[in-house]
Amino acid sequence: MAKTPKIPDTTLSPDETEADLTGTTPRRKPKPEVEKIGNRKLKPATLMMGHGFDPTLSEGSLKPPIFLTSTFAFESAAAGKRHFEGITGKRPGGAEGLVYSRFNGPNQEICEDRLSVWEDAEEALVFSSGMSAIATVLLANVRQGDVVVHSGPLYAATETLINRVLGRFGVTFIDFPAGARREEVDAVLEQAKGRCMGSGRVAIVYLESPANPTNALVDIEMVRQAVDAAFPDDPPPVAMDNTFLGPLWQQPLKHGADISIYSLTKYVGGHSDLVAGGAMGDKKWLDPIRAMRNTIGTITDPNTAWMLLRSLETVELRMTRAGENAQKVCEFLRDHPKVDGVGYLGFLEEGSSQRDIYDRHCSGAGSTFSVFIKGGEEESFRFLDAMRIAKLAVSLGGTETLASHPAAMTHLSVPDARKKALGITDNLVRVSIGVEDADDLIADFMQALEKV
Ligand SMILES: *Cc1c(COP(=O)(O)O)cnc(C)c1O
């Protein structure tokens, strides 16, 4: 667990007192952290205010200072050696102290401690963007000749990374559609095993759910069972991009994923003012990812990590409010004569397999959905241009409501046939609802629909 600044306990011999290290003023003892009251384990919303940081170690500052430094002074040469044994993997377990800001830092470590609380993960890592998190996870796992199995569609840049960039290094991929059933997944895994040549392996099973913009959900529990059945001895890690519903409404680690990945730019950052990424899971899976991050330098910076700490304090409040707002807006849109349909997880049909996955995996429908305007691009553009509160922008999960047109924006370069297969039509508008007043938002959608 990160304590800021780190206590140099690794260099203390049993008979040394702390006062020996600090001169005449004894070091202030860190206050034991409150994680339980009696038998009551404190909830993430409570832990976000203090977990992983002790003010007494930073002049009593209630909030962690931003540690703007590129490197950290070792307490002794022996401590420096020990830390590097951890960094280089000579000794398992990673660095015990702060070393160099490409490897770790106090703000990043506090942020990682707090992030891991949401999915009860053993460890978490923060990155400079969602894509750098995804790239680091993939690079840590694939070798030449390997096969990546993934659900589809994926976030466009992730698809480019897996299907094109990794291909340049002799890594191939096979995908299955997000809503696939067990037989389909089994077949794809068998096909992937058959494709592994020489020392090649199925390196990773990579999922994204709900898929953008189809909102199709992946059955993580089923994929886990399929992977364990196909690879009884040494299953590859199952990683999942949880950006759309995490950390509040879906926790993939609880349903069998090994690595849960986030673009923290979205709901966790939540104010549309930073770009960052995260990954969490068991140490076993995160150690190689951390080593790769150390090598290529994809860690986030101290300032962004501090901003994320600020954001994490309100993530539950913000997501709850945005989710309630989205439900009200979707209920209004569903019955509107100028609307052809609403792709919202809260409206999944009772008895459908998608609804079954939703009921098992999700505790909320999120605040990002698709609305199909009657007509085509022209009508959709009129609607978008008439919006007064909602801003016209890509991205999601911020405090403000955003709307965009995937066919003409995020998915412009997707070939027409693939667009059709994914249901990316010219009348599809993507909306991310924020934390404004719900009735104000409904008034805005109402007046914009009148202009269509
Ligand atoms: C935004 C996003 C990403 C990429 O995150 P960045 O922070 O922009 O790098 C990855 N996956 C999903 C689902 C996203 O929405």
Side-chain angles (χ1 to χ4, degrees), residues 129-132 134 155 158 208 241 243-244 263-266 275-276 396:
S129 70
M131 280 318 301
S132 75
I134 293 164
Y155 184 73
T158 310
E208 184 177 318
D241 183 333
T243 299
F244 271 78
S263 166
L264 301 173
T265 311
K266 315 294 168 55
V275 171
L396 59 115

Side-chain angles (χ1 to χ4, degrees), residues 168-203:
R168 300 209 303 253
F169 304 99
V171 177
T172 58
F173 70 93
I174 308 181
D175 61 346
F176 58 83
R181 290 169 184 277
R182 175 72 188 260
E183 307 79 65
E184 264 178 285
V185 176
D186 282 342
V188 164
L189 289 172
E190 276 313 305
Q191 204 187 337
K193 278 206 285 194
R195 175 133 20 120
C196 299
M197 285 168 306
S199 59
R201 316 150 302 155
V202 173

Side-chain angles (χ1 to χ4, degrees), residues 73-264:
F74 301 135
E75 311 83 62
S76 66
K81 182 178 178 191
R82 267 188 74 74
H83 294 342
F84 265 90
E85 284 169 349
I87 290 287
T88 54
K90 256 193 139 118
R91 186 172 37 77
E96 287 172 12
L98 298 163
V99 175
Y100 180 67
S101 296
R102 200 180 76 237
F103 306 146
N104 53 15
N107 297 103
Q108 293 92 326
E109 288 195 351
I110 301 166
C111 189
E112 287 165 351
D113 284 351
R114 290 195 193 166
L115 204 55
S116 67
V117 165
W118 289 95
E119 291 206 37
D120 214 1
E122 202 172 3
E123 294 210 350
L125 294 168
V126 286
F127 297 86
S128 56
S129 70
M131 280 318 301
S132 75
I134 293 164
T136 309
V137 167
L138 288 168
L139 285 178
N141 282 285
V142 299
R143 299 193 302 235
Q144 192 177 23
D146 282 354
V147 181
V148 172
V149 172
H150 72 82
S151 67
L154 297 176
Y155 184 73
T158 310
E159 218 155 274
T160 303
L161 182 61
I162 293 179
N163 303 5
R164 298 209 215 138
V165 181
L166 291 183
R168 300 209 303 253
F169 304 99
V171 177
T172 58
F173 70 93
I174 308 181
D175 61 346
F176 58 83
R181 290 169 184 277
R182 175 72 188 260
E183 307 79 65
E184 264 178 285
V185 176
D186 282 342
V188 164
L189 289 172
E190 276 313 305
Q191 204 187 337
K193 278 206 285 194
R195 175 133 20 120
C196 299
M197 285 168 306
S199 59
R201 316 150 302 155
V202 173
I204 188 166
V205 176
Y206 186 94
L207 314 174
E208 184 177 318
S209 178
N212 177 23
T214 59
N215 263 352
L217 295 169
V218 177
D219 190 337
I220 313 163
E221 284 170 287
M222 176 275 285
V223 171
R224 167 88 269 157
Q225 287 162 9
V227 169
D228 287 344
F231 304 91
D233 299 327
D234 196 11
V238 176
M240 159 123 163
D241 183 333
N242 197 35
T243 299
F244 271 78
L245 291 178
L248 200 64
W249 297 308
Q250 179 171 257
Q251 284 130 22
L253 298 183
K254 296 197 172 125
H255 302 288
D258 298 304
I259 306 163
S260 182
I261 304 176
Y262 287 76
S263 166
L264 301 173

